């Protein structure tokens, strides 16, 4: 009996030490890193004032040798081999830069083109909004909060938006694509470098402020052939929405904002070179023009081009099976390669440049009104919970299995903008939500009316992956993880495994609905 008591005591102590060890390991990962923080903001302007704007482009390219070799001296990294890396000169490296998107253990082999933090600032004399576009797959809300704390007061920023282009060919900054499923792929030194470069980009843009005129144009169908929907029902965030910003005093282009919804993953999963994918080509052609040999085909507008993504959930993508024609050579490209990404850039740049020659709206005076709301979102996804607990995400929690995020809605004269913290399904933005047999909830559409119907501006912009990346934002009536599956499928469609849960869409829609009502009522 005494022996049994001793054994039970040892087992009890062992379990207690194990539980304490787990708590000690897990607690730093789950704690709220920004306790008490709220981004809530409300500024309503009924005045029309002169506008000013500033742009900047600062590189965020990692330092990667042109050619990685692994411990078996293979030219290209093989995930089946060891993780001891050397550069081309035989110097050992502790680890690789892990490329975000697709699969784990994709080590970057070199650089194809620079990654950027590109900033556009708009100011009406009272309110100054900074919009930063990052060539990365996503940037967590806690990191955005950290950036805001680093901005100097001299920059005068009323509200900072950090939006990711969502390229699948840049280093992992979320943590999901490291050596293994439960080992973060984020390089802390690179993350710190990114933060410093974002601050530099905002400071530079603020120092470049000039009296500005905004020229607004749209092409709502021309880019449709370059995007496929990877999930039924086929619903798209159609349209190319453009803002050309001109110096009001000398007529020179300061920069441009290009909003178009498409996953930057033309190169697909086998590419191991760092690149911003088609946005690299698109921005370059808009700025510098298109040439065929030495002959200018279409003049660029100059300035700094800023690319912003839209509602890409669903999945909006130029997949390998989608053929894209090079508009200068006529070559039809249907493989995942740089020539195809270049062709997408050319096609969209031509549409943008042609559209900007015929602006539909010109704004020299306007007021900026904005409503920002902090949200606490439930984490229903078990893998996301585990990722948080193990420190894969490094974002912390608010309370038990909840995370902090945020939404913004703002108007600049006749322009309406909303920001979403992830990959929104276009149905929630533009309409087309279905309630089909096989859905898990068998309910009528919840996220109605469409968000664009609630925006009152003549031109309606949506910034996806803005100030956070929480994954896919799916209409609740289309949530489908349990058989029988919708559309007669034998398995679930892709999306739910990378979503917080079925309540995320309804929560975000309801809050934006309230915010837009508040913004538009007070702005009259």
């Amino acid at each position: 009996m005494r022996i049994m008591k001793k054994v039970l005591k040892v087992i009890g102590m062992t379990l207690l030490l194990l539980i304490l060890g787990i708590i000690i390991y897990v607690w730093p990962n789950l704690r709220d890193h920004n306790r008490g923080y709220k981004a809530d903001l409300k500024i309503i302007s009924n005045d029309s004032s002169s506008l000013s704007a500033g742009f900047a482009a600062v590189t965020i390219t990692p330092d990667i040798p042109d050619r990685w070799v692994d411990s078996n001296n293979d030219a290209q990294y093989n995930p089946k081999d060891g993780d001891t890396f050397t550069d081309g000169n035989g110097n050992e490296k502790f680890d690789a830069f892990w490329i975000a998107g697709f699969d784990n253990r994709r080590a970057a082999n070199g650089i194809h083109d620079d990654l950027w933090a590109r900033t556009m600032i708009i100011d009406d004399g009272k309110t100054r909004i900074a919009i930063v576009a990052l060539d990365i797959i996503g940037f967590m809300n806690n990191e955005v909060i950290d950036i805001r704390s680093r901005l100097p007061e001299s920059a005068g920023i009323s509200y900072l938006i950090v939006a990711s282009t969502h390229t699948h060919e840049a280093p992992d900054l979320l943590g999901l694509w490291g050596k293994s499923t439960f080992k973060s792929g984020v390089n802390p030194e690179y993350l710190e470098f990114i933060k410093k470069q974002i601050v530099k980009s905002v400071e530079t843009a603020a120092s470049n402020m000039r009296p500005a005129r905004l020229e607004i144009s749209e092409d709502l169908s021309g880019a449709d052939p370059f995007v496929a929907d990877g999930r039924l029902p086929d619903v798209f965030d159609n349209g190319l929405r453009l803002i050309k910003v001109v110096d009001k005093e000398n007529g020179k282009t300061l920069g441009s904002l290009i909003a178009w919804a498409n996953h930057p993953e033309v190169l697909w999963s086998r590419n191991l070179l760092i690149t911003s994918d088609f946005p690299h080509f698109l921005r370059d052609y808009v700025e510098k023009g298109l040439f065929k040999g030495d002959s200018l085909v279409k003049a660029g507008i100059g300035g700094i081009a800023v690319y912003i993504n839209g509602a890409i959930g669903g999945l909006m993508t130029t997949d390998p099976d989608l053929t894209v024609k090079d508009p200068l050579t006529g070559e039809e490209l249907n493989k995942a390669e740089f020539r195809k990404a270049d062709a997408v850039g050319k096609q969209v740049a031509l549409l943008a440049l042609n559209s900007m020659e015929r602006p539909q709206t010109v704004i020299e005076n306007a007021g900026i009104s904005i409503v920002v709301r902090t949200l606490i979102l439930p984490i229903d996804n078990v893998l996301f919970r585990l990722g948080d607990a193990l420190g894969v995400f490094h974002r912390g929690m608010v309370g038990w299995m909840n995370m902090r995020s945020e939404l913004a809605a703002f108007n600049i004269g006749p322009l309406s903008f909303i920001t979403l913290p992830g990959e929104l399904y276009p149905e929630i933005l533009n309409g087309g939500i279905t309630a089909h047999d096989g859905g898990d909830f068998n309910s009528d559409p919840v996220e109605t009316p469409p968000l664009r119907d609630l925006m009152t501006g003549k031109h309606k912009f949506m910034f996806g992956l803005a100030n956070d990346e929480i994954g896919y934002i799916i209409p609740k009536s289309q949530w489908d993880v349990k058989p029988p599956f919708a559309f007669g499928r034998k398995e679930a469609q892709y999306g739910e495994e990378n979503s917080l849960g079925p309540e995320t869409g309804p929560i975000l829609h309801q809050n934006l609905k309230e915010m837009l009502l508040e913004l538009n009522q007070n702005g009259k």
Side-chain angles (χ1 to χ4, degrees):
M1 191 61 142
R2 290 181 178 178
I3 295 175
M4 181 62 70
K5 287 183 177 180
K6 288 183 178 180
V7 170
L8 291 174
K9 185 176 181 180
V10 170
I11 292 173
M13 289 298 295
T14 301
L15 287 174
L16 180 60
L17 290 173
L18 180 61
I19 292 171
L20 286 173
I22 292 173
I23 292 173
I24 291 171
Y25 176 79
V26 169
W27 169 244
N29 300 325
L30 295 183
R31 68 179 179 84
D32 187 353
H33 299 309
N34 302 100
R35 191 175 180 83
Y37 177 86
K38 287 188 176 181
D40 297 4
L41 176 68
K42 180 178 177 180
I43 301 172
I44 301 297
S45 174
N46 293 305
D47 300 325
S48 184
S49 306
S50 297
L51 296 174
S52 59
F55 285 79
V58 175
T59 58
I60 57 171
T61 313
D63 183 15
I64 298 175
D66 289 337
R67 175 177 176 268
W68 282 101
V69 293
D70 69 5
S71 55
N72 290 337
N73 206 38
D74 291 331
Q76 194 175 65
Y77 178 69
N78 184 340
K80 295 180 181 179
D81 296 331
D83 288 328
T84 301
F85 293 90
T86 60
D87 62 23
N89 298 319
N91 301 312
E92 287 192 3
K93 298 285 288 184
F94 174 73
D95 205 350
F97 274 94
W98 302 105
I99 297 178
F102 298 107
D103 304 311
N104 290 92
R105 299 170 67 86
R106 287 203 303 152
N109 278 231
I111 308 293
H112 177 271
D113 54 85
D114 279 324
L115 306 179
W116 298 89
R118 291 172 174 246
T119 299
M120 168 184 173
I121 296 178
I122 297 292
D123 188 311
D124 70 349
K126 296 179 181 178
T127 303
R128 178 173 288 190
I129 296 178
I131 302 164
V132 182
L134 293 180
D135 285 326
I136 56 174
I137 201 163
F139 204 61
M140 295 287 196
N141 184 246
N142 58 301
E143 310 297 0
V144 176
I145 294 170
D146 188 26
I147 297 297
R148 288 174 179 152
S149 71
R150 300 184 185 202
L151 292 177
E153 289 187 12
S154 59
I157 305 303
S158 306
Y159 185 62
L160 171 71
I161 298 169
V162 179
S164 303
T165 64
H166 200 56
T167 176
H168 283 46
E169 320 294 339
D172 182 9
L173 282 185
L174 299 180
L176 289 168
W177 295 279
K179 289 181 182 179
S180 64
T181 302
F182 296 113
K183 186 171 178 62
S184 175
V186 177
N187 181 319
E189 293 181 357
Y190 180 60
L191 176 58
E192 178 62 22
F193 168 71
I194 290 255
K195 291 180 179 181
K196 290 179 179 178
Q197 295 299 89
I198 294 172
V199 172
K200 181 180 178 181
S201 184
V202 173
E203 288 182 301
T204 304
S207 69
N208 290 337
M209 299 296 290
R210 295 286 301 162
R213 179 176 70 250
L214 310 185
E215 299 179 359
I216 320 303
S217 55
E218 297 178 343
D219 184 328
L220 299 182
S221 61
D224 289 357
F226 315 124
V227 186
D229 190 349
R231 171 172 170 152
L232 296 172
D234 289 334
V235 181
F236 298 85
D237 179 10
N238 305 79
L240 188 61
R241 293 171 173 83
L242 309 156
I243 303 175
K244 179 182 176 182
V245 184
V246 177
D247 189 313
K248 196 159 58 172
E249 294 182 353
N250 60 31
K252 293 183 179 179
T253 300
L254 298 173
S256 56
L257 186 142
I258 306 161
W260 183 52
N262 189 18
H263 267 73
E265 57 180 18
V266 178
L267 297 162
W268 220 247
S269 60
R270 294 184 64 85
N271 171 61
L272 295 178
L273 296 179
I274 294 296
T275 172
S276 60
D277 207 276
F278 74 79
H280 160 65
F281 301 101
L282 168 59
R283 293 180 305 224
D284 204 49
Y285 290 132
V286 167
E287 293 171 356
K288 302 173 185 176
L290 285 81
F291 290 80
K292 187 173 183 180
D294 294 329
S295 300
L296 178 65
V297 176
K298 190 72 177 180
I301 61 170
I304 295 172
V306 178
Y307 170 74
I308 297 288
N309 222 322
I312 58 174
L315 165 90
M316 307 298 108
T317 183
T318 309
D319 62 46
D321 295 330
L322 188 65
T323 298
V324 178
K325 180 184 289 188
D326 186 305
L328 302 187
T329 67
E331 185 178 11
E332 294 189 344
L333 302 157
N334 56 11
K335 296 180 180 178
E337 57 178 323
F338 280 99
R339 289 190 304 161
K340 184 175 177 180
D342 184 15
V344 172
K346 287 176 182 172
Q347 291 278 15
V348 180
L350 281 171
L351 292 170
L353 291 170
N354 287 334
S355 183
M356 283 188 281
E357 290 177 351
R358 302 178 300 276
Q360 296 159 318
T361 303
V362 177
I363 306 169
E364 292 193 357
N365 299 290
I368 297 175
S369 296
I370 182 168
V371 175
V372 180
R373 184 178 291 188
T374 298
L375 300 179
I376 306 300
L377 299 171
I379 307 172
D380 294 328
N381 189 315
V382 174
L383 290 178
F384 280 20
R385 291 183 176 188
L386 189 57
D388 274 316
L390 296 179
V392 174
F393 294 142
H394 294 292
R395 72 176 291 153
M397 293 189 181
V398 182
W400 178 246
M401 296 302 165
N402 296 309
M403 65 167 58
R404 178 187 290 104
S405 194
E406 66 186 74
L407 296 167
F410 61 100
N411 294 334
I412 304 175
L415 309 183
S416 291
F417 301 82
I418 55 173
T419 71
L420 271 296
E423 298 161 71
L424 183 74
Y425 276 44
E427 296 94 308
I428 298 176
L429 180 64
N430 290 335
I433 298 175
T434 58
H436 42 64
D437 294 337
D440 291 357
F441 293 96
N442 192 27
S443 66
D444 292 332
V446 176
E447 303 86 355
T448 58
L451 290 172
R452 272 210 168 98
D453 286 358
L454 298 170
M455 300 165 72
T456 58
K458 179 180 178 182
H459 305 280
K460 305 175 182 183
F461 292 77
M462 179 274 185
F463 295 171
L465 300 114
N467 291 329
D468 209 349
E469 163 59 315
I470 63 171
Y472 290 114
I473 303 166
I474 304 172
K476 184 174 181 179
S477 63
Q478 293 177 198
W479 191 268
D480 192 17
V481 297
K482 300 175 183 178
F485 299 113
F487 304 107
R489 292 173 58 91
K490 295 181 180 179
E491 59 183 7
Q493 299 193 80
Y494 174 75
E496 283 79 352
E497 63 266 44
N498 285 315
S499 172
L500 288 179
E503 298 303 326
T504 306
I507 291 172
L508 295 178
H509 180 274
Q510 180 61 33
N511 276 273
L512 269 173
K513 181 179 178 179
E514 295 169 1
M515 292 164 64
L516 287 166
L517 181 63
E518 183 179 4
L519 178 70
N520 297 326
Q521 282 184 341
N522 284 278
K524 288 182 179 179

